[in-house]
Amino acid sequence: MSARILDGKSIAAEIRQEVRLEVEAMAAQTGAVPCLATILVGNDPASATYVQNKARACKEVGITSVRIELPADLSEMSLLHEINRLNSDPVVHAILVQLPLPPHINERRILEAILPEKDVDGFHPSNLGGLLVGSPLFVASTPLGILELLDRSNIVIEGKHAVIVGWSVVVGKPTAFLLLQHHATVTICHIKTRDLAFHTRQADILVVAAGKPGLVTGSMVKEGAVVIDVGVNRLSDGRVVGDVEFPEVAEKASLITPVPGGVGPMTIAMLLKNTVDACRRKWGERCGR
Ligand code: NAD
């Protein structure tokens, strides 16, 4: 079998176009313009590029973005003040703190300071807990993007065995809960899992989010599986690859995401969608809807 490509780039472009129309319609009806504030602490080039890409994506769909760049030696208290300021700014609907933060800052404490209704990354405990009971205000963009990719590619989740490699709060855990909500049978694997290949070979849907290039090889994948490669790894020769050995896994899978061009663009598209939702919810509250 040779896999069909799950083209995240073109599906994300479709979503961005929908978001653009929604932003226009909302502005016409209510005068409200969604606004995303991004906070970048320090000068890590990869983080700066991510923030820049998000700002560009916002601009393309008519979302206002405010970029706040702060020095790496900023104190935790100063960062908390900045977040409180954005929390109480009525013009700002959504707040995103680019991770990772410098080691002297407690990431959890910072993420917990963002108001849940502005937490478009979905990392606040009340949004993570909401996911557990099926009613979060926001779900993290990458897991949401994975589900949207499956949905828009007409992949049936119900009754399937989904195996997820990686259990981070950013990707693995929320993806597992979303797939459970869609009635998949879910196995979560991680660094301490014994015989990873035994588990991955059971997967009808395999999601790999480990940050380890070449972790999943052809022999670890069942014939006809759907393979979602979340990994983004920059090799010493400058190439960006996922966690899956693409050519040999594509021989076994029925559908596979490329890296780049798979999950990455979906993540940004879902962030835009979350930002519009935050704005719409705020406007609805004001009008008592
Ligand atoms: P993380 O480091 O927080 O978590 C990695 C997970 O993988 C851990 O749970 C760990 O137990 C597991 N793991 C590591 N090595 C393993 C192994 N050998 N066998 C089994 N499990 C193993 O990383 P993360 O934030 O979840 O990100 C994972 C990857 O996804 C990274 O490459 C990251 O860059 C990428 N990512 C991509 C997007 C996107 O939009 N495309 C978004 C977020 C993360």
Side-chain angles (χ1 to χ4, degrees), residues 74-125:
L74 178 88
S75 71
E76 187 175 292
M77 192 53 82
S78 306
L79 183 52
L80 285 169
H81 280 309
E82 193 58 39
I83 288 171
N84 286 336
R85 187 183 67 75
L86 295 169
N87 277 342
S88 52
D89 185 340
V91 171
V92 172
H93 304 104
I95 303 171
L96 180 150
V97 176
Q98 186 62 48
L99 301 178
L101 289 169
H104 67 281
I105 296 180
N106 182 323
E107 227 162 69
R108 259 292 119 216
R109 201 170 297 147
I110 297 303
L111 297 176
E112 288 174 17
I114 299 171
L115 279 180
E117 57 267 35
K118 296 194 179 190
D119 171 41
V120 280
D121 252 346
F123 297 156
H124 190 282

Side-chain angles (χ1 to χ4, degrees), residues 142 165-168 170-172 189-191 196 209-212 215 230-233 243 263-264 267:
T142 303
V165 183
W167 73 323
S168 71
V170 179
V171 188
C189 304
H190 47 78
I191 189 90
L196 180 65
K212 297 277 163 68
L215 179 64
V230 186
V232 178
N233 308 290
D243 291 346
V263 175
T267 297

Side-chain angles (χ1 to χ4, degrees), residues 224-247:
V226 174
V227 179
I228 308 289
D229 189 354
V230 186
V232 178
N233 308 290
R234 187 171 288 279
L235 304 182
S236 52
D237 62 8
R239 277 184 306 135
V240 173
V241 298
D243 291 346
V244 167
E245 280 294 349
F246 187 88

Side-chain angles (χ1 to χ4, degrees), residues 30 52 81 91 103 112 156 196 255 284 287:
T30 69
Q52 205 178 344
H81 280 309
V91 171
E112 288 174 17
V156 176
L196 180 65
L255 287 156
C287 302

Side-chain angles (χ1 to χ4, degrees), residues 96-223:
L96 180 150
V97 176
Q98 186 62 48
L99 301 178
L101 289 169
H104 67 281
I105 296 180
N106 182 323
E107 227 162 69
R108 259 292 119 216
R109 201 170 297 147
I110 297 303
L111 297 176
E112 288 174 17
I114 299 171
L115 279 180
E117 57 267 35
K118 296 194 179 190
D119 171 41
V120 280
D121 252 346
F123 297 156
H124 190 282
S126 105
N127 282 321
L128 289 166
L131 183 58
L132 216 69
V133 291
S135 61
L137 291 176
F138 294 107
V139 176
S141 316
T142 303
L144 213 52
I146 293 169
L147 267 286
E148 194 73 20
L149 195 57
L150 294 173
D151 184 45
R152 292 194 185 223
S153 310
N154 300 316
I155 294 159
V156 176
I157 297 173
E158 189 175 305
K160 298 282 175 65
H161 188 176
V163 176
I164 300 161
V165 183
W167 73 323
S168 71
V169 168
V170 179
V171 188
K173 283 182 198 158
T175 303
F177 279 102
L178 288 176
L179 288 165
L180 259 180
Q181 268 169 21
H182 287 75
H183 303 286
T185 301
V186 177
T187 300
I188 307 178
C189 304
H190 47 78
I191 189 90
K192 302 287 183 190
T193 297
R194 292 184 194 156
D195 197 354
L196 180 65
F198 167 81
H199 295 284
T200 56
R201 276 197 288 265
Q202 316 292 316
D204 301 310
I205 299 172
L206 177 62
V207 180
V208 191
K212 297 277 163 68
L215 179 64
V216 172
T217 57
S219 64
M220 295 168 73
V221 176
K222 181 164 84 175
E223 195 78 35

